[in-house]
Amino acid sequence: MKKIILSVILCAVAFVAKAQVESVDFKSNFRGDFGVGVGISADLGNNFEFSPSANIYFWDCGTHFDLEADFHYKIDLGHKFTLYPIAGAVLCYANLKDHHECPHHHPLPHHDDKHYYDGHLNFGINAGCGLKYDINSKIAGFVETKYQWINNDDDYCYDYNDAYLSLGIKIAI
């Protein structure tokens, strides 16, 4: 599994190295819980943008961490507004605390299997839409709504397929 994660990270770094990084992005994610994220936006030309990010969600019952690799197609609406559809991939890591009830997992009887609580890695896809407003030449605000489909493995009761809203700022480099 470490080889897969390392390969994904190296591919993303190589891809972004060829692109022109435009901004550093900071965001808050609102779904059934609260999360924060940081990422970059890189211009790929022809109105396409690559926007990888890392997000962490604060659960009482454990940890949830996402690595997202989204592509945007920028549509200039004028008056400093840009609309962009979103399509991308996500790598999710979730780890439960021992014998702790969690709203993000199906209710199960207590597990004696320590392996159940060791954390699980899942892949998924993102689809959505975003809107950016240029406050000035260096700062822009944005709002995104995405639906995330996560590949659930059968032996783990991870249930996190849902829509969510992100609010953030982009700071030009």
Side-chain angles (χ1 to χ4, degrees):
M1 190 56 66
K2 290 179 185 178
K3 290 179 184 178
I4 293 172
I5 295 170
L6 183 58
S7 297
V8 168
I9 292 170
L10 288 176
C11 287
V13 168
F15 193 75
V16 170
K18 292 189 81 171
Q20 177 65 39
V21 176
E22 293 180 330
S23 66
V24 176
D25 309 335
F26 301 95
K27 61 184 173 178
S28 298
N29 301 314
F30 303 94
R31 48 194 341 156
D33 47 16
F34 176 74
V36 295
V38 64
I40 62 170
S41 291
D43 184 26
L44 300 176
N46 295 330
N47 293 330
F48 285 97
E49 181 176 67
F50 179 59
S51 186
S53 66
N55 305 285
I56 187 165
Y57 293 91
F58 304 102
W59 290 357
D60 290 337
C61 59
T63 316
H64 178 99
F65 183 75
D66 281 355
L67 288 176
E68 296 181 351
D70 291 335
F71 291 91
H72 305 163
Y73 180 74
K74 299 182 287 185
I75 303 166
D76 185 15
L77 299 177
H79 304 290
K80 300 183 179 185
F81 284 98
T82 304
L83 179 71
Y84 52 93
I86 300 169
V90 62
L91 179 66
C92 299
Y93 173 79
N95 191 10
L96 294 176
K97 293 179 182 175
D98 288 350
H99 304 291
H100 199 285
E101 293 297 321
C102 186
H104 308 290
H105 299 80
H106 298 289
L108 292 172
H110 291 291
H111 286 267
D112 294 328
D113 181 9
K114 179 68 177 158
H115 203 68
Y116 176 79
Y117 299 99
D118 285 344
H120 291 266
L121 198 59
N122 296 81
F123 292 96
I125 59 172
N126 292 330
C129 189
L131 182 67
K132 180 180 81 156
Y133 176 73
D134 295 325
I135 297 168
N136 60 38
S137 63
K138 294 286 185 186
I139 298 174
F142 68 92
V143 60
E144 295 178 346
T145 183
K146 292 190 225 179
Y147 192 86
Q148 204 169 62
W149 289 278
I150 305 298
N151 177 28
N152 298 326
D153 49 6
D154 292 334
D155 61 355
Y156 188 59
C157 293
Y158 181 70
D159 188 14
Y160 214 54
N161 298 336
D162 65 355
Y164 67 97
L165 178 73
S166 297
L167 300 173
I169 61 169
K170 293 178 175 282
I171 301 173
I173 297 179

